Amino acid sequence: MTRQITINLDGQQFMLDLEFEQRDHSIVYHVTPNKHFSNLIPAGFEMIQNDFDKESAPTYDESGLSEQSRQIAETISQQISMLPPQFRGGKPVEA
């Protein structure tokens, strides 16, 4: 499943696509970078939300990222963590 999210960077809003992949014990978000920062976030950039730690933001591999790239990745991660479970690719909590 693919979703668009909006992030705010330095007072500007950017849209980007997230493709969700449900794995055994995690959700993997494949980030398609916006054209404005495609040179800062590599194509196929992944963020992982472990099932055992659903309250925290998704994690990602920082190796090879510049300081500006890390800021963008952290902004994306925080935006994903604020989405309700059904929009994060997870399952809503049963009442």
Side-chain angles (χ1 to χ4, degrees), residues 38-70:
S38 61
N39 60 327
L40 298 169
I41 299 290
F45 186 70
E46 292 183 348
M47 297 185 159
I48 299 173
Q49 179 75 55
N50 291 313
D51 285 346
F52 61 84
D53 193 13
K54 291 182 180 184
E55 296 302 315
S56 65
T59 59
Y60 50 92
D61 182 7
E62 293 184 12
S63 62
L65 295 181
S66 68
E67 186 60 38
Q68 188 176 13
S69 299
R70 285 187 186 109

Side-chain angles (χ1 to χ4, degrees), residues 5-91:
I5 64 168
T6 303
I7 61 169
N8 189 340
L9 291 172
D10 300 322
Q12 294 185 351
Q13 293 187 338
F14 299 98
M15 293 187 78
L16 55 97
D17 290 333
L18 290 177
E19 184 179 334
F20 302 82
E21 179 185 348
Q22 184 75 45
R23 294 193 182 157
D24 286 340
H25 300 288
S26 63
I27 299 170
V28 178
Y29 302 98
H30 303 279
V31 178
T32 302
N34 179 289
K35 67 180 178 180
H36 298 288
F37 50 83
S38 61
N39 60 327
L40 298 169
I41 299 290
F45 186 70
E46 292 183 348
M47 297 185 159
I48 299 173
Q49 179 75 55
N50 291 313
D51 285 346
F52 61 84
D53 193 13
K54 291 182 180 184
E55 296 302 315
S56 65
T59 59
Y60 50 92
D61 182 7
E62 293 184 12
S63 62
L65 295 181
S66 68
E67 186 60 38
Q68 188 176 13
S69 299
R70 285 187 186 109
Q71 178 187 5
I72 293 168
E74 186 60 28
T75 302
I76 295 168
S77 179
Q78 291 300 318
Q79 186 64 36
I80 292 170
S81 72
M82 291 189 296
L83 295 172
Q86 63 269 30
F87 295 114
R88 276 191 273 170
K91 297 177 183 170

